Amino acid sequence: MESTGVYWKPVWNILEASVTILLVNAQHVKAVPGRKTDAKDCQWIADLLQHGLLRGSFVPPNPIRQLRDLTRTRASLRQDHTAVANRMQKILEDANIKLASVATDWLGVSGRAILSRMLDGEQDAGTLADLCRGRLRDKIPEMQLALEGRMTEHHRWMLRLQREQLEFLEAQIVKLETKIQEQMQTYQEAVDLCTTIPGIEAIAAANLVAEIGVNMNQFSSAAHLASWAGLCPGNNESAGKRLSGKARNGSVWLRRNLCQAAWAASHSKNTYLSAQFRRLAARKGKKRALVAVGHTILVIVFHMLKNHQPYRDLGADYFDRRNAEQIKRSLIRRLERLGLQVTVQNRTLEPA
């Protein structure tokens, strides 16, 4: 059956238990131009299957597919939550309320308390600013200036509407996270292994398990997994000329999760991944460095889940140790260009 979107899933669910099914990438079975009809497509796919030329795409088992539905729904709801928060911020800006300019998390405890009192009709900036808690109390004078706006009844009605939607989404996210935690109990070993990598916490580990599963035998190698995820350069060469190396369209959900984990890992201290990010960002830019670090994380996860071994960090000085002589020559040349004469001696460590 030729299908797009999710229309193949009902047929898959019915036939999965009785016959062997192949989910084939349409790009791999493209028919010859000029002979394109639905009937000819069926004949062409059947002919390819008869000669063993079809290769099935990765379809995880049913429990992993259910977990994937939960994690992807959670990600979508978080996007909706951010969109509603942005709409609320827009209304506050229209009312000349600069709450977000003073409070980093304007939807925190202090921000919500101020917002609730504001929707109850309170307009005095000093009374509203006095609701600040924690370290935000050090900014009470700035908060008073930020809350001197022109909140009208129309603004309050719009904010109440958006707040109800925000609270509904938060309740739905809590339900989803509870359900995900129940499902993840079966894969706790994989989660514990993944969380040993810098930048990956429980949520990111659950997303990884939901996207690639825990059985790495379905991928022939780590390079195959990276290619499937769309986290490696494209391979397009003709007549000895290297053409576009744009990455192929892989799993959008997995690529986004890995880039987020790479960004978190780049801010870790004294780790191999943060050193790799800084090294690549200096030459290629931050965006390409993020994709490269995400590719490294995916390769690490593949070997960890395949061999059931925790992550062992190579250290922040790995690249310096690997190219010690080259770095030494480069630094000496830089000093000599400044007009200095350099003499290098190996340091002898005194016995303890």
Side-chain angles (χ1 to χ4, degrees):
M1 184 186 72
E2 181 177 308
S3 178
T4 57
V6 298
Y7 296 105
W8 60 273
K9 288 188 177 181
V11 179
W12 181 281
N13 294 333
I14 293 174
L15 300 178
E16 182 180 16
S18 56
V19 296
T20 301
I21 323 174
L22 292 180
L23 178 66
V24 183
N25 191 336
Q27 191 175 7
H28 298 166
V29 294
K30 213 169 183 181
V32 179
R35 303 189 49 169
K36 180 73 172 67
T37 65
D38 289 340
K40 291 183 179 298
D41 280 346
C42 295
Q43 297 172 5
W44 176 245
I45 293 173
D47 191 28
L48 292 176
L49 178 62
Q50 184 178 8
H51 291 85
L53 297 177
L54 292 183
R55 184 177 62 184
S57 300
F58 165 57
V59 179
N62 192 49
I64 296 292
R65 296 204 300 268
Q66 294 176 358
L67 179 62
R68 179 184 289 182
D69 289 339
L70 295 174
T71 55
R72 291 183 177 182
T73 303
R74 176 177 59 184
S76 299
L77 289 184
R78 286 190 178 278
Q79 291 177 341
D80 295 340
H81 184 273
T82 303
V84 174
N86 290 338
R87 287 196 289 268
M88 294 178 68
Q89 174 62 21
K90 179 182 177 181
I91 297 171
L92 290 174
E93 289 290 337
D94 186 63
N96 203 24
I97 303 295
K98 305 294 183 179
L99 181 60
S101 300
V102 180
T104 303
D105 182 13
W106 69 275
L107 281 175
V109 175
S110 301
R112 289 176 186 256
I114 292 173
L115 185 63
S116 297
R117 185 67 65 88
M118 198 181 298
L119 294 182
D120 291 338
E122 182 63 56
Q123 295 184 355
D124 183 65
T127 304
L128 293 172
D130 193 54
L131 296 173
C132 293
R133 296 290 180 269
R135 290 182 295 179
L136 199 58
R137 293 196 65 83
D138 298 335
K139 301 181 180 180
I140 285 183
E142 295 90 338
M143 184 63 75
Q144 289 179 352
L145 293 175
L147 296 176
E148 292 178 355
R150 42 175 297 278
M151 178 74 70
T152 64
E153 191 58 36
H154 170 72
H155 293 138
R156 291 191 182 93
W157 191 91
M158 291 291 293
L159 282 172
R160 290 191 191 100
L161 183 68
Q162 299 296 332
R163 186 178 65 171
E164 290 176 1
Q165 187 176 2
L166 189 79
E167 292 173 349
F168 171 77
L169 289 172
E170 289 172 348
Q172 294 295 308
I173 291 173
V174 170
K175 289 182 180 179
L176 270 173
E177 290 181 344
T178 303
K179 185 65 175 178
I180 290 172
Q181 290 176 0
E182 294 176 1
Q183 297 271 25
M184 288 303 299
Q185 292 179 359
T186 310
Y187 312 106
Q188 192 59 44
E189 180 186 358
V191 172
D192 294 339
L193 289 173
C194 291
T195 50
T196 59
I197 303 175
I200 295 185
E201 297 181 350
I203 293 178
N207 292 336
L208 283 174
V209 171
E211 294 300 326
I212 66 176
V214 294
N215 179 20
M216 293 298 102
N217 293 327
Q218 58 217 356
F219 301 103
S220 58
S221 63
H224 179 203
L225 174 59
S227 175
W228 175 81
L231 276 172
C232 63
N235 190 8
N236 188 8
E237 182 180 327
S238 179
K241 184 181 294 185
R242 177 85 176 175
L243 303 177
S244 173
K246 181 180 178 181
R248 61 185 296 273
N249 296 326
S251 174
V252 177
W253 302 90
L254 178 59
R255 186 165 61 246
R256 180 176 61 180
N257 187 55
L258 287 171
C259 288
Q260 291 174 350
W263 182 249
S266 68
H267 288 72
S268 59
K269 295 182 179 180
N270 300 323
T271 63
Y272 166 78
L273 294 175
S274 62
Q276 183 192 25
F277 174 82
R278 290 192 299 270
R279 179 171 176 266
L280 294 175
R283 297 185 290 112
K284 300 290 187 179
K286 291 184 178 180
K287 292 184 178 180
R288 290 189 176 184
L290 277 180
V291 175
V293 175
H295 173 271
T296 301
I297 292 176
L298 185 60
V299 172
I300 292 172
V301 170
F302 172 84
H303 290 291
M304 287 171 53
L305 295 181
K306 189 174 183 66
N307 301 322
H308 302 282
Q309 294 180 354
Y311 173 70
R312 293 191 297 270
D313 197 275
L314 297 175
D317 60 342
Y318 170 76
F319 297 104
D320 293 339
R321 290 186 281 106
R322 190 180 65 172
N323 300 316
E325 291 298 325
Q326 180 181 351
I327 293 174
K328 183 171 66 175
R329 290 194 300 268
S330 175
L331 294 176
I332 290 175
R333 284 196 299 267
R334 291 183 63 182
L335 291 173
E336 289 176 345
R337 283 197 295 267
L338 294 174
L340 302 176
Q341 183 177 359
V342 182
T343 302
V344 179
Q345 294 180 349
N346 292 327
R347 185 178 61 179
T348 58
L349 299 177
E350 297 180 358

